[in-house]
């Protein structure tokens, strides 16, 4: 059985590494590692080093052991003075967040279809990604392939999601669960935001759906799916991108 390696660093090495953050988030910071890797360190609200939550450590170890596709790959866990403070992940300089890309309609649909296929693959492994948003999806400029980042936050079998964005929290509050339907619900919101309601917040998009205000030439099957999303409890659990892809790219 594979066992994830451990990188041991000193307090001074940690301070040096965190001096050059590439990204700061609610749970920690991402810093350069090697030429082909990044380090994620966990911090408190003041930005001070904290131990990596055990729930996240367990997820990273499971993902490493099972060689899950369509994600940034975990390479090692990072320990400082005997405490696990983060992990190392793969990095490809050709990867760009979907959020940062200016894509044509056809390109957007292809990327969104790939993201959906990745999510349904995750479902076969007992994984729910959860925060399916454009900043968590990476697109490689060379291969045009999709992968998901922020891997420590997704729900991996019995290891639960740690942080929920506003749309996912609303889904959880109304359904009482985070399941495969949650991924379909979040992906459909991403489709709506990417193709039909650019620049709108998810909460405003839901309001438009409740009013029956649909933008663009939406295929009938996709429209029925979007209509079911007026509340999470009425959502039918289907992905709208399938019919949009068929109508737009398989004429």
């Amino acid at each position: 059985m594979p066992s994830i390696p451990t990188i041991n660093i000193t307090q001074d090495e940690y301070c040096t590494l965190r001096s050059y953050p590439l990204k700061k988030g609610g749970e920690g910071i991402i810093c350069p590692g090697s030429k082909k890797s990044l380090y994620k360190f966990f911090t408190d609200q003041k930005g001070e080093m904290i131990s990596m939550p055990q729930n996240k450590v367990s997820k990273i170890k499971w993902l490493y052991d099972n060689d899950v596709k369509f994600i940034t790959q975990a390479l090692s866990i990072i320990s400082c003075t005997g405490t696990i403070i983060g992990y190392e992940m793969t990095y490809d300089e050709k990867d760009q967040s979907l959020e940062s890309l200016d894509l044509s309609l056809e390109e957007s649909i292809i990327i969104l279809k790939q993201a959906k296929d990745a999510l349904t693959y995750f479902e076969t492994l007992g994984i729910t990604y959860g925060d399916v948003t454009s900043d968590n999806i990476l697109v490689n400029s060379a291969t045009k392939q999709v992968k998901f980042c922020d891997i420590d936050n997704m729900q991996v079998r019995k290891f639960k999601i740690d942080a929920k964005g506003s749309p996912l929290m609303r889904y959880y509050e109304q359904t009482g669960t985070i399941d495969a339907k949650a991924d379909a619900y979040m992906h459909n919101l991403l489709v709506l935001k990417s193709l039909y309601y650019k620049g709108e917040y998810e909460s405003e998009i839901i309001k438009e759906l409740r009013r029956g205000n649909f933008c663009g030439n939406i295929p009938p099957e996709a429209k029925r799916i979007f209509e079911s999303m007026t509340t999470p409890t009425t959502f039918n659990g289907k992905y709208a991108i399938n019919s949009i892809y068929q109508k737009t790219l398989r004429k």
Side-chain angles (χ1 to χ4, degrees):
M1 187 74 173
S3 180
I4 190 167
T6 298
I7 296 174
N8 293 293
I9 62 174
T10 66
Q11 185 76 41
D12 287 344
E13 287 171 328
Y14 169 77
C15 291
T16 299
L17 288 165
R18 68 158 297 151
S19 298
Y20 305 97
L22 298 175
K23 184 178 180 180
K24 296 182 179 181
E27 296 184 294
I29 57 174
I30 295 177
C31 305
S34 68
K35 184 177 181 180
K36 294 186 177 181
S37 73
L38 298 174
Y39 292 163
K40 181 169 183 178
F41 297 119
F42 291 87
T43 58
D44 61 18
Q45 293 182 344
K46 295 180 180 180
E48 299 298 324
M49 178 178 71
I50 61 171
S51 61
M52 182 176 175
Q54 183 56 49
N55 188 53
K56 291 180 177 290
V57 174
S58 298
K59 286 189 276 188
I60 292 300
K61 288 181 176 180
W62 192 94
L63 293 170
Y64 179 87
D65 288 344
N66 290 275
D67 193 26
V68 177
K69 297 185 293 185
F70 308 122
I71 60 173
T72 52
Q73 298 293 319
L75 298 174
S76 61
I77 55 176
I78 304 171
S79 177
C80 181
T81 62
T83 300
I84 296 175
I85 59 169
Y87 66 97
E88 181 186 26
M89 73 191 97
T90 53
Y91 168 69
D92 188 328
E93 62 183 8
K94 294 179 181 178
D95 285 342
Q96 297 175 280
S97 71
L98 177 58
E99 182 180 48
S100 69
L101 297 177
D102 183 16
L103 302 173
S104 67
L105 174 65
E106 290 78 12
E107 289 171 329
S108 294
I109 291 171
I110 290 170
I111 294 301
L112 290 166
K113 176 67 163 53
Q114 280 192 50
K116 175 263 175 185
D117 291 342
L119 293 171
T120 54
Y121 161 75
F122 294 158
E123 183 182 358
T124 67
L125 301 177
I127 295 172
T128 300
Y129 185 81
D131 261 342
V132 183
T133 57
S134 58
D135 58 329
N136 285 333
I137 297 172
L138 303 178
V139 183
N140 189 279
S141 61
T143 65
K144 307 302 181 185
Q145 296 301 300
V146 162
K147 66 170 70 84
F148 284 79
C149 57
D150 198 21
I151 60 173
D152 59 90
N153 192 50
M154 57 191 194
Q155 184 164 287
V156 179
R157 300 205 165 187
K158 66 179 181 180
F159 306 113
K160 302 300 184 182
I161 287 174
D162 300 279
K164 307 177 187 71
S166 297
L168 187 62
M169 178 58 77
R170 285 195 293 271
Y171 181 95
Y172 176 71
E173 289 174 344
Q174 294 189 41
T175 65
T177 188
I178 300 293
D179 53 11
K181 285 179 66 175
D183 274 353
Y185 181 86
M186 292 294 295
H187 186 275
N188 288 339
L189 278 178
L190 177 60
V191 168
L192 285 162
K193 190 170 184 176
S194 300
L195 303 182
Y196 305 112
Y197 298 89
K198 293 187 176 181
E200 292 285 352
Y201 289 108
E202 290 84 351
S203 58
E204 293 302 315
I205 293 172
I206 293 297
K207 288 179 183 178
E208 290 300 302
L209 298 184
R210 288 173 180 164
R211 297 186 187 110
N213 296 334
F214 290 90
C215 296
N217 186 20
I218 301 174
E221 175 60 21
K223 187 175 180 180
R224 286 191 288 272
I225 293 169
F226 293 145
E227 287 172 338
S228 77
M229 292 175 59
T230 54
T231 66
T233 54
T234 58
F235 174 49
N236 65 17
K238 296 180 179 180
Y239 284 91
I241 194 63
N242 291 335
S243 59
I244 296 170
Y245 181 87
Q246 290 289 334
K247 177 180 171 62
T248 308
L249 302 177
R250 293 288 183 87
K251 293 180 179 179

